[in-house]
Amino acid sequence: MKTFFRLLGSELERFFARRMARTLLVIAIGIGVLVGTITFLVTDKHSAPDQNEFERCLEMTSNYEGDWEGTCRMGDNRFQIIWLLGESTEDWSETRPAPEPNRTEPFRGLEGILPAIGGILAILTGGLIGASFFGAEYRFGTIEQVLLWEPRRNRVLLAKYLTTFIGSALVATIGSLAISFSLWPTALVKGTTQGVDARFWIDLLSTAGRIGIAAGLLSIISGTVAIFTRHTAGAVMSLLGYQIIGGIIINVWIKWLAPWDPLFNAGAFLSESDTTKWVKESSFGQTYWIEVSANSYLVAGFIAFAIASAFAILGFIVFNRRDVS
């Protein structure tokens, strides 16, 4: 066990010493600073709604079910920091509708700035780090040197998978937090931080954590593809081809496969939304597809984990049976 932890430590040290990891981390933080700076420059100060009218509106609607805070804030065009998670507090507050067995309308989850940017960040971070980390091993022949020190291939590959997962998760999480906190000056100076409560902070930090986990799982998939192709560019092109062509094929011809798409499930997991499935409906002599709720975001995360694990198992099989030179 000590030997494995030394191996894992050396892999982590090599990972963070690579230019790709440092560059992606700087780019992720730079994107956050750029987003915050542009938002601050283009945002104008707008007058807020009258506070007395707002409080009276809340009192009048207190006896009604649902979240009326957004309705009472009509006319407030200032930049609101709660937009990080959604348009109104119903996206994360305790009044969120609980899942029901007979509910067919999918819950869209957090539809704010962070989940939207975080999904792209997870794909780019996980895809590039996984593909480059494994692809570079074959390109520069370092995998052979590692096997001279530790000939047990399963241990070597497990350490590399854990390294890519941890590294991708850290870069994606730090990048998503950088984007989030870069928007606070705009809210403080030109907007508002009203509506921020303990639940908001819990969901903000948990969303950043889920973005990191999604990036880590995608890095395992891309790393396995790099093992198959033995080249970084081959893995990146394969993933891009799947994301573009595969997405079109699934959405047009084989919609029933959508709930098993790793990117689809990773997106549902990080945004805390329900996954969906397509069901055929017939009415007035016509047949069409409708989108209904399938699983919760936790199930989506489990499916993404299962798919990444299946790729990792294939990676172990190929890595053990094929010559590394």
Side-chain angles (χ1 to χ4, degrees):
M1 186 62 69
K2 290 183 179 179
T3 305
F4 175 75
F5 281 115
R6 285 202 302 268
L7 176 62
L8 179 60
S10 66
E11 290 293 333
L12 286 170
E13 185 177 354
R14 289 176 60 237
F15 174 84
F16 289 108
R18 294 187 68 238
R19 186 179 301 172
M20 170 65 78
R22 297 197 303 268
T23 301
L24 282 177
L25 182 59
V26 172
I27 290 176
I29 297 176
I31 290 175
V33 174
L34 181 63
V35 169
T37 302
I38 294 176
T39 303
F40 186 86
L41 293 176
V42 302
T43 301
D44 296 326
K45 293 182 180 180
H46 296 281
S47 59
D50 183 80
Q51 186 64 23
N52 294 329
E53 291 292 334
F54 171 72
E55 293 177 357
R56 277 197 294 269
C57 178
L58 287 181
E59 292 178 0
M60 293 175 60
T61 56
S62 60
N63 295 327
Y64 297 94
E65 294 183 358
D67 179 31
W68 292 86
E69 183 177 350
T71 303
C72 293
R73 291 191 186 278
M74 291 295 291
D76 189 351
N77 295 320
R78 296 175 298 171
F79 179 84
Q80 303 180 40
I81 198 62
I82 61 174
W83 290 347
L84 274 171
L85 297 180
E87 293 293 335
S88 64
T89 54
E90 67 181 1
D91 288 337
W92 67 85
S93 67
E94 296 179 357
T95 60
R96 176 184 299 171
E100 301 174 3
N102 59 347
R103 181 167 60 86
T104 58
E105 180 67 23
F107 178 58
R108 299 300 179 182
L110 305 174
E111 298 183 314
I113 299 171
L114 183 59
I117 298 180
I120 300 173
L121 186 63
I123 294 174
L124 292 177
T125 303
L128 290 177
I129 287 180
S132 65
F133 186 70
F134 282 88
E137 297 283 1
Y138 288 96
R139 179 183 178 185
F140 297 105
T142 53
I143 188 67
E144 300 175 20
Q145 300 176 9
V146 175
L147 289 174
L148 289 175
W149 177 61
E150 174 56 80
R152 288 168 290 191
R153 295 194 176 193
N154 285 335
R155 285 196 173 194
V156 171
L157 189 56
L158 178 60
K160 291 185 180 298
Y161 273 137
L162 289 176
T163 299
T164 55
F165 180 89
I166 294 172
S168 301
L170 284 176
V171 172
T173 302
I174 293 173
S176 60
L177 290 176
I179 293 172
S180 301
F181 290 111
S182 69
L183 296 174
W184 279 86
T186 304
L188 291 172
V189 177
K190 298 183 178 182
T192 177
T193 58
Q194 291 179 348
V196 175
D197 53 12
R199 186 65 195 181
F200 173 87
W201 284 110
I202 291 173
D203 267 347
L204 179 65
L205 296 177
S206 63
T207 300
R210 289 194 304 272
I211 291 172
I213 293 174
L217 295 176
L218 293 176
S219 73
I220 293 177
I221 296 176
S222 64
T224 303
V225 177
I227 293 176
F228 294 160
T229 61
R230 295 190 179 191
H231 204 282
T232 300
V236 172
M237 293 303 295
S238 299
L239 293 172
L240 286 177
Y242 173 78
Q243 185 177 358
I244 298 173
I245 301 175
I248 295 175
I249 293 175
I250 290 175
N251 290 326
V252 175
W253 288 295
I254 48 177
K255 293 185 176 183
W256 57 268
L257 192 60
W260 306 104
D261 179 15
L263 297 178
F264 178 81
N265 284 282
F269 172 69
L270 66 88
S271 64
E272 210 169 308
S273 63
D274 292 343
T275 61
T276 58
K277 63 181 180 180
W278 293 87
V279 178
K280 282 187 176 181
E281 288 281 332
S282 297
S283 179
F284 301 105
Q286 293 182 346
T287 301
Y288 52 91
W289 292 84
I290 63 170
E291 192 179 25
V292 299
S293 176
N295 301 304
S296 69
Y297 76 98
L298 293 177
V299 176
F302 177 79
I303 293 174
F305 172 78
I307 295 174
S309 300
F311 269 83
I313 292 173
L314 292 175
F316 277 106
I317 295 173
V318 173
F319 188 68
N320 278 284
R321 293 187 177 184
R322 195 168 62 178
D323 189 4
V324 296
S325 60

